[in-house]
Amino acid sequence: MSVVACPGCAAGPPAAAAAAGRLAAPVAPTHHLVLPRIHCAGCIRTVETTLTTVPGIRAARVNLTRRRAAITADPGADPGPWIRALAAAGVEAHEASEPGARLSGDLLPHLGVAGFAMMNVMLLSVAVWSGAADSTRDLLHWVSAAIALPATAFAAQPFFRNAWGALRVARLNMDVPISLAILLACGMSLFEVAFGGAHAWFDAALALTFFLLLGRVLDQRLRQAAKSAADDLAALEPSRVDRIEPAGRVSRPVAEIAIGDRLWLAAGGRVPVDATLLDGPVQIDRSFLTGESDPVTRHPGADLHAGEICLTGPITLRATAVGEDTTLRRISQLVATAEGARGRFRSLADRAAGIYTPMVHIVSALAFTGWLVATGDVRMALNVAIATLIITCPCALGLAVPAVAVAATSRLYRAGLLVKSDTALERLAGVGTVVFDKTGTLSQRTLLVPERASDAQRRVLRALADASSHPLCRRLAASLADTAPVALHGVCETAGQGVRAVWNGQPVSLGRDGPGAPDTVFVCGTRRFVLRSVETLLPDAAQAVAALHGMGLKTCMLTGDTAANAAEIAQSLGIGRVWAGVGPAQKVDLVTELRAGGETVLMVGDGLNDTAALAAAEASIAPGAALDASRNAADIVIVSGQLTKIAPAIAIARRARRRILQNFAIAASYNAIAIPVAVLGFATPLAAAIAMSTSSITVVMNALRGMRQ
């Protein structure tokens, strides 16, 4: 087992400052655009290529999962020209009022109308297929037209809008052949009905619309859980702070604070900007940077960082870094950059669509041209072209990934895991290395009950522990579960100090003796007990790591704790590689190095200092008890909190990937048979619609079959 301690972090406060300085590389996006209609890798390329040619824009990154573009531009730039440039490229864009704003989808009404109309038109078609002829057949066709035409005009609008946006700027996307097939099917059906033809294909147009909308809705369902962890980190910054001015303390917006300003902070407050401590000592919760829950003592002259919590006070500070230069903002930008990189992941469906879309146009055009030249019959050539477009329409391809993903995520949810990213399963299936945070993820600090405490004193200790929400107190209370608490009076909890109360007229307390005191002390009347703190493994940590090793996965540990503590925990779990004393920036660097070395990394962590690493990894998992920012940065949240769920999640993801590949094989086999049949004129548009529907249903059934096992 190798233990690597970060030399720069071993020195204490200066190391944290050095680590913070390394976070300055990402440039803060100045604007965000919402892109509600993008849905593939081609859209990403169009948006980024268009934006980078606009004067004043330095960089543009698209996050497909959140349908947003983060843009770095010159100060004071106007987003209006950007939106107009995207509109000219066929992409709808809106300026986001805030980084977290998102537009909701509107596909369900379209899906509902398509499904309802499809069922009714198919019922009418059954009568035609059963032998209805002459005036009866014509009447049924006209009733079908009355239902299908307005229903299709409404239900297919998402495809029409996207196709028109692409065509008017001379480019193609998957919605172009879809729209063409729907319009031709409706148009030719209306023509046949008007001139007393024997066949109409309104049901084909509706079935096409319904199955493709179903795929989009399933895909949208997976995207709705996505939330930016960078937004949560930004929310940790207080909006106002007391500035010390000649007239006294005045509450000011944090945006008005300048370097050199003197600030006043009460106990329990969060440090608003990077600053130097002017008085003290003070106890600081630095879990924001280190992940360790134990507070540290800082003395006058020490550096404090935005996001840290002042447990004792009040204190005065002098601002040393403000705005985008603070540690909190730098970490937020680091997370946003990692999220954007992951959001560019091209799914299997996107890669397949890049090949499939031009093929559909070419095959249909060749079929039309060939039949027109061979027969001179425009009507016949159009029927063959329509049948080819319908039979090759990417319904099965559009359902191949969403159907499996929804089935897999539903099973994971029933098992206590919440999947939050639409590409999470594909990425999770390929992981070969699992990187763990230590404290809070694999281990926890626990206070030991004094051996010499009497039964009455144990009951008092249980009551004091019950009165606090501190994690150490909660675990102490759990260890005293078989001890009945006494009734206390005058219970009072002070941040950073502990709990005090009165029992039988005597003062009792649980906490620290005073500011900077290292020990946790239990006082009961005249008796004083120093509670020892030990680090213990979480109950299922060993089983979870063993299960991963059993699957052939490698495990590592990244922690802000000391090398000695890290080595002890890693050795007890059989984890071979350990990096100790590392901060948020170093965790990202190490994850990036592992990936650059060819390893596919799954990051498991729960703290603020893990957030950027969670976003930078190939895939990521956070326990249900993790902080909001960590949960939102992760692809999967273990709602049940059991680490033993990680191995089954990877197994299900691998099974889902196999089912997706099987679905692609089904779609490819179907097209290999159906395309020649349609091109040679052996398939009417109606037969093409039935074949297309059959392939879509087969794909969905295969997805469900795979996830029931």
Side-chain angles (χ1 to χ4, degrees):
M1 179 183 68
S2 61
V3 179
V4 183
C6 175
C9 293
R22 296 179 60 193
L23 296 172
V27 179
T30 55
H31 294 275
H32 292 80
L33 296 180
V34 178
L35 310 167
R37 306 296 177 190
I38 65 170
H39 56 84
C40 65
C43 299
I44 293 177
R45 289 192 297 272
T46 299
V47 171
E48 292 185 344
T49 302
T50 301
L51 289 176
T52 52
T53 60
V54 176
I57 293 182
R58 303 177 191 174
R61 296 296 296 270
V62 174
N63 187 318
L64 179 61
T65 300
R66 302 183 65 230
R67 291 191 170 106
R68 299 169 61 81
I71 300 167
T72 303
D74 294 338
D78 178 13
W82 314 341
I83 296 173
R84 290 191 289 273
L86 288 174
V91 179
E92 180 183 349
H94 308 280
E95 187 176 7
S97 58
E98 57 182 30
R102 278 196 303 276
L103 296 182
S104 59
D106 58 351
L107 295 179
L108 283 177
H110 298 276
L111 178 67
V113 169
F116 180 77
M118 178 184 69
M119 290 186 292
N120 283 278
V121 171
M122 283 187 171
L123 286 174
L124 296 171
S125 298
V126 169
V128 177
W129 303 339
S130 301
D134 302 328
S135 60
T136 303
R137 180 195 62 207
D138 293 343
L139 175 62
L140 293 174
H141 278 165
W142 279 115
V143 173
S144 297
I147 297 172
L149 293 177
T152 304
F154 172 77
Q157 282 182 16
F159 307 120
F160 295 158
R161 284 196 298 261
N162 292 338
W164 174 245
L167 288 174
R168 64 190 180 88
V169 292
R171 69 182 182 91
L172 296 176
N173 60 20
M174 283 188 68
D175 291 325
V176 174
I178 291 170
S179 300
L180 188 60
I182 293 171
L183 291 172
L184 285 175
C186 288
M188 282 300 296
S189 296
L190 187 59
F191 176 83
E192 292 287 342
V193 171
F195 290 91
H199 300 289
W201 311 287
F202 296 116
D203 45 3
L206 286 168
L208 192 63
T209 304
F210 174 78
F211 281 109
L212 287 166
L213 282 171
L214 178 62
R216 296 281 172 91
V217 168
L218 293 177
D219 182 68
Q220 188 183 70
R221 172 181 167 183
L222 293 175
R223 297 180 191 273
Q224 285 176 345
K227 185 181 179 185
S228 174
D231 297 343
D232 288 302
L233 287 173
L236 294 178
E237 182 182 83
S239 59
R240 303 186 69 86
V241 65
D242 286 346
R243 183 168 67 187
I244 301 175
E245 302 179 359
R249 296 200 312 265
V250 180
S251 177
R252 299 291 187 190
V254 169
E256 294 183 6
I257 302 304
I259 294 175
D261 284 352
R262 295 177 67 229
L263 311 174
W264 181 90
L265 192 64
R270 194 177 290 272
V271 178
V273 296
D274 289 1
T276 299
L277 181 64
L278 298 181
D279 55 17
V282 63
Q283 285 192 307
I284 297 294
D285 177 356
R286 301 187 69 241
S287 59
F288 159 71
L289 279 177
T290 66
E292 302 304 312
S293 58
D294 290 343
V296 297
T297 302
R298 288 288 178 259
H299 298 278
D303 292 325
L304 303 183
H305 300 91
E308 296 176 343
I309 300 174
C310 169
L311 298 177
T312 58
I315 58 173
T316 54
L317 315 167
R318 178 178 289 111
T320 57
V322 298
E324 299 298 333
D325 296 326
T326 67
T327 302
L328 183 61
R329 294 283 185 92
R330 288 168 181 159
I331 293 180
S332 179
Q333 290 307 318
L334 192 68
V335 174
T337 300
E339 285 182 330
R342 181 192 290 169
R344 293 165 56 83
F345 179 85
R346 285 191 71 194
S347 67
L348 292 171
D350 286 338
R351 294 196 291 271
I355 301 171
Y356 191 83
T357 301
M359 183 193 74
V360 172
H361 294 283
I362 293 170
V363 170
S364 297
L366 290 176
F368 174 79
T369 304
W371 278 95
L372 183 62
V373 171
T375 65
D377 187 343
V378 176
R379 184 174 178 180
M380 178 65 179
L382 274 175
N383 280 338
V384 173
I386 293 170
T388 304
L389 276 174
I390 293 174
I391 213 165
T392 59
C393 210
C395 285
L397 183 64
L399 288 168
V401 174
V404 175
V406 169
T409 53
S410 297
R411 177 168 181 184
L412 287 171
Y413 182 76
R414 292 194 298 271
L417 298 108
L418 177 64
V419 180
K420 300 171 52 274
S421 169
D422 59 318
T423 60
L425 292 175
E426 292 180 40
R427 289 182 278 112
L428 184 62
V431 300
T433 300
V434 182
V435 177
F436 287 98
D437 169 52
K438 180 178 71 69
T439 308
T441 303
L442 294 172
S443 66
Q444 60 186 7
R445 286 279 175 187
T446 304
L447 294 173
L448 299 181
V449 178
E451 296 180 358
R452 294 179 291 107
S454 65
D455 182 65
Q457 290 164 345
R458 290 169 63 91
R459 294 176 63 197
V460 172
L461 182 60
R462 166 68 191 277
L464 288 168
D466 283 343
S468 174
S469 60
H470 193 283
L472 287 174
C473 288
R474 291 201 300 268
R475 288 193 283 272
L476 178 60
S479 68
L480 290 166
D482 58 347
T483 301
V486 300
L488 300 177
H489 302 282
V491 177
C492 177
E493 183 175 11
T494 304
Q497 294 301 305
V499 183
R500 285 168 171 73
V502 175
W503 174 69
N504 283 349
Q506 303 178 55
V508 293
S509 63
L510 174 63
R512 302 184 186 276
D513 281 340
D519 296 325
T520 300
V521 177
F522 167 46
V523 177
C524 186
T526 59
R527 294 296 305 274
R528 182 178 183 274
F529 301 91
V530 176
L531 304 188
R532 288 197 303 117
S533 172
V534 296
E535 187 170 20
T536 59
L537 290 175
L538 290 174
D540 58 350
Q543 184 182 353
V545 174
L548 295 172
H549 289 163
M551 296 176 68
L553 298 170
K554 294 180 284 187
T555 56
C556 310
M557 181 191 293
L558 300 178
T559 177
D561 204 356
T562 64
N565 289 343
E568 181 179 352
I569 294 297
Q571 187 173 10
S572 64
L573 292 172
I575 294 177
R577 288 180 291 176
V578 181
W579 288 270
V582 294
Q586 288 84 6
K587 287 190 175 185
V588 174
D589 290 343
L590 289 167
V591 167
T592 303
E593 288 174 13
L594 289 172
R595 294 185 65 185
E599 299 187 54
T600 50
V601 177
L602 167 65
M603 178 71 194
V604 184
D606 73 318
L608 284 174
N609 64 326
D610 302 315
T611 305
L614 288 166
E618 190 83 17
S620 53
I621 294 178
L627 296 178
D628 286 346
S630 300
R631 290 200 303 270
N632 289 326
D635 295 305
I636 297 176
V637 175
I638 308 175
V639 179
S640 64
Q642 299 173 343
L643 290 176
T644 49
K645 300 290 186 182
I646 297 175
I650 297 174
I652 291 174
R654 289 177 175 177
R655 189 181 305 156
R657 183 173 61 178
R658 289 196 298 271
R659 292 295 176 261
I660 289 171
L661 293 175
Q662 287 175 4
N663 281 348
F664 283 147
I666 291 171
S669 300
Y670 156 77
N671 280 308
I673 298 170
I675 290 175
V677 171
V679 170
L680 292 174
F682 295 125
T684 65
L686 175 60
I690 295 172
M692 177 270 297
S693 299
T694 301
S695 69
S696 299
I697 293 171
T698 303
V699 162
V700 173
M701 294 301 294
N702 185 60
L704 296 176
R705 178 189 67 86
M707 291 304 109
R708 284 173 180 165
Q709 298 176 1

